[in-house]
């Protein structure tokens, strides 16, 4: 993922969940006030009712949301920890409703929603942890309900009601576990396919022998560089290197040793240009460095450094101290095509060859 990495996607996804929780908590806060206006509680004064059923739940939910927001935005590298924090935030936000309004039977099962939410993270441990927490909360709520209203008002009996609730949660955990396994298998399949595509694209853009970008990659980079220069006005240069008398090297020392010569030059080009440009193998014994947003003097320093080091490089299989290379340099001129730009650098290289080789010529 180049434009948006996995960590960024996870944070955006969890922030979406956080915003949803803010909306849900806001709605429950409004509903709490509506319930307060609709029902008269004889046992509690208005102030105590507001404190217990409105203020306390809102404060707990607000704390859960603030803590959740902090851990999501902190950018922690522990993705599993973030998932647990987000799930805990959801659990507390829903659970406080069931815990406070335990006299409303359907709300006892609201925390089960958090189990479904764990499927989003495809984490079996998180699912089981959330399921156990829900079971504990439900057990506490049913016992409190029984102590509050008495056994007679339980149609199934308080133990039967508890048993039904436990079976319900266990079944939901089982369903989510199956969903998690399917989700993980799907995610692994997608990840494997993506990695294979990335590997294939890399192989298509890289010359296998030298490790430099290949001709196809150079042509695409050249077009993009022209677009950038036309927009920004930055100075860019194409430099073409050609190994002098390379055919004689192959004929005299063999193609395997010729490959050693090529690799030596490519290594120098890659290392010395890495801060200012990209190196490419254009074809055969021709190589290119595309310099971006730099001055001619710096380009020439790199080019001459490469040419001088290559001339002095010692090859163990040769009877002399090495061979030489020539170079042509061309700065981009506004409005010209990629072909025209490259041809000017190639013409400068031809002049360097005609002028005796082992030299650099700058296109006029």
């Amino acid at each position: 993922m180049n434009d948006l990495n996995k960590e960024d996607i996870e944070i955006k996804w969890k922030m979406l969940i956080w915003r949803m929780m803010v909306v849900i908590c806001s709605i429950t806060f409004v509903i709490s006030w509506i319930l307060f206006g609709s029902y008269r509680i004889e046992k509690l004064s208005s102030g105590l009712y507001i404190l217990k059923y409105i203020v306390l739940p809102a404060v707990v939910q607000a704390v859960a949301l603030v803590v959740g927001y902090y851990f999501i935005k902190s950018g922690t590298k522990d993705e599993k920890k973030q998932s647990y924090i987000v799930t805990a935030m959801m659990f507390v936000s829903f659970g406080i409703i069931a815990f406070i309004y335990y006299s409303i039977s359907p709300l006892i099962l609201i925390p089960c929603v958090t189990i479904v939410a764990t499927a989003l993270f495809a984490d079996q441990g998180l699912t089981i942890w959330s399921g156990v927490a829900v079971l504990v909360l439900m057990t506490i709520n049913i016992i409190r309900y029984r102590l509050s209203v008495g056994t007679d008002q339980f149609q199934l009996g308080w133990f039967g009601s508890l048993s039904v609730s436990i079976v319900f949660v266990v079944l939901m955990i089982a369903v989510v576990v199956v969903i998690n396994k399917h989700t993980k298998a799907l995610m692994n399949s997608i990840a494997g396919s993506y990695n294979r595509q990335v590997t294939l694209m890399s192989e298509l853009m890289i010359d296998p022998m030298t490790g430099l970008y290949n001709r196809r990659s150079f042509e695409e980079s050249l077009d993009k560089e022209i677009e950038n220069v036309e927009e920004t006005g930055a100075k860019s240069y194409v430099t073409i290197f050609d190994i002098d008398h390379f055919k004689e090297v192959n004929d005299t020392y063999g193609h395997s040793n010729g490959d050693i010569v090529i690799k030596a030059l490519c290594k120098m080009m890659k290392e010395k240009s890495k801060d200012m440009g990209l190196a490419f193998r254009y074809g055969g014994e021709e190589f290119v460095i595309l310099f971006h947003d730099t001055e001619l003097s710096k380009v020439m320093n790199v080019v001459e450094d490469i040419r001088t080091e290559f001339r002095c490089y010692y090859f163990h299989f040769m009877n002399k101290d090495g061979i030489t290379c020539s170079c042509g340099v061309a700065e981009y001129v506004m409005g010209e095509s990629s072909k025209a730009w490259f041809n000017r650098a190639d013409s400068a290289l031809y002049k360097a060859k005609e002028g005796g080789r082992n030299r650099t010529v700058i296109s006029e």
Side-chain angles (χ1 to χ4, degrees):
M1 300 180 183
N2 297 324
D3 298 329
L4 198 62
N5 59 38
K6 185 175 184 293
E7 182 181 343
D8 292 333
I9 292 174
E10 287 291 335
I11 292 176
K12 286 180 177 294
W13 174 242
K14 288 168 184 173
M15 279 305 300
L16 177 60
I17 296 174
W18 183 85
R19 293 187 186 97
M20 291 173 60
M21 293 307 304
V22 170
V23 173
I24 291 172
C25 291
S26 300
I27 292 174
T28 59
F29 182 74
V30 173
I31 292 175
S32 298
W33 280 104
I34 294 174
L35 291 175
F36 170 67
S38 302
Y39 297 96
R40 299 300 176 187
I41 308 298
E42 296 179 358
K43 295 181 180 180
L44 297 176
S45 65
S46 296
L48 188 57
Y49 180 92
I50 292 172
L51 178 63
K52 181 178 180 181
Y53 291 100
I54 300 178
V55 176
L56 181 59
V59 169
V60 174
Q61 288 176 332
V63 170
L65 290 171
V66 170
V67 172
Y69 182 85
Y70 170 78
F71 277 96
I72 294 172
K73 298 298 286 186
S74 64
T76 176
K77 299 297 182 181
D78 192 342
E79 182 181 321
K80 189 171 184 178
K81 182 179 180 181
Q82 272 198 354
S83 298
Y84 272 74
I85 293 296
V86 172
T87 303
M89 173 190 70
M90 298 173 66
F91 183 83
V92 172
S93 299
F94 285 125
I96 190 63
I97 302 172
F99 199 80
I100 294 296
Y101 290 97
Y102 64 90
S103 59
I104 304 175
S105 184
L107 290 178
I108 296 175
L109 299 179
I110 286 181
C112 294
V113 177
T114 60
I115 302 176
V116 178
T118 60
L120 298 172
F121 304 117
D123 189 323
Q124 303 288 40
L126 194 57
T127 299
I128 295 172
W129 169 84
S130 181
V132 171
V134 168
L135 283 172
V136 171
L137 179 60
M138 288 172 57
T139 301
I140 293 173
N141 277 341
I142 290 175
I143 293 174
R144 291 175 68 215
Y145 192 22
R146 186 250 182 185
L147 295 175
S148 175
V149 303
T151 308
D152 295 339
Q153 296 192 34
F154 274 88
Q155 295 179 356
L156 296 176
W158 76 275
F159 183 77
S161 180
L162 177 61
S163 300
V164 170
S165 299
I166 290 175
V167 170
F168 177 84
V169 175
V170 170
L171 288 175
M172 183 156 307
I173 292 175
V175 171
V176 174
V177 166
V178 173
I179 293 174
N180 282 346
K181 288 183 177 181
H182 174 72
T183 303
K184 274 195 170 182
L186 183 61
M187 290 171 63
N188 290 336
S189 176
I190 294 173
S193 177
Y194 173 78
N195 290 334
R196 287 192 295 271
Q197 290 181 15
V198 170
T199 301
L200 179 60
M201 289 302 296
S202 298
E203 291 175 351
L204 291 174
M205 303 301 283
I206 299 293
D207 175 63
M209 187 182 82
T210 63
L212 299 185
Y213 292 104
N214 59 22
R215 179 170 179 170
R216 174 183 175 183
S217 179
F218 168 69
E219 291 171 349
E220 292 179 1
S221 298
L222 198 63
D223 290 333
K224 291 179 181 178
E225 185 64 21
I226 290 176
E227 292 178 7
N228 180 72
V229 173
E230 291 288 348
E231 291 178 1
T232 64
K235 292 184 178 181
S236 293
Y237 298 86
V238 166
T239 60
I240 307 177
F241 290 82
D242 186 274
I243 300 175
D244 298 328
H245 304 295
F246 185 69
K247 185 177 183 302
E248 294 180 9
V249 174
N250 280 333
D251 292 343
T252 304
Y253 304 104
H255 289 276
S256 60
N257 287 327
D259 291 345
I260 292 176
V261 173
I262 289 176
K263 291 177 181 178
L265 177 59
C266 290
K267 183 178 180 182
M268 296 175 196
M269 292 174 61
K270 188 174 184 179
E271 290 179 351
K272 295 181 183 298
S273 66
K274 62 183 179 180
D275 295 329
M276 292 185 292
L278 290 176
F280 305 83
R281 184 181 186 183
Y282 189 76
E285 68 273 19
E286 275 196 338
F287 311 91
V288 180
I289 300 178
L290 179 58
F291 289 93
H292 167 70
D293 193 16
T294 188
E295 298 297 325
L296 179 60
S297 58
K298 294 181 179 180
V299 172
M300 292 304 297
N301 285 339
V302 173
V303 169
E304 290 301 288
D305 193 14
I306 294 171
R307 191 177 61 80
T308 301
E309 183 174 332
F310 184 68
R311 176 176 56 82
C312 299
Y313 192 88
Y314 174 74
F315 295 99
H316 64 86
F317 54 84
M318 300 186 70
N319 298 324
K320 53 183 180 178
D321 291 336
I323 56 177
T324 61
C325 66
S326 303
C327 182
V329 180
E331 179 183 353
Y332 177 72
V333 177
M334 290 293 185
E336 73 177 337
S337 65
S338 58
K339 183 178 181 180
W341 185 14
F342 180 81
N343 285 342
R344 286 197 299 110
D346 195 43
S347 296
L349 172 64
Y350 180 78
K351 292 179 180 179
K353 293 280 189 180
E354 288 291 304
R357 294 181 170 81
N358 188 29
R359 66 190 64 207
T360 301
V361 173
I362 303 172
S363 175
E364 297 179 357

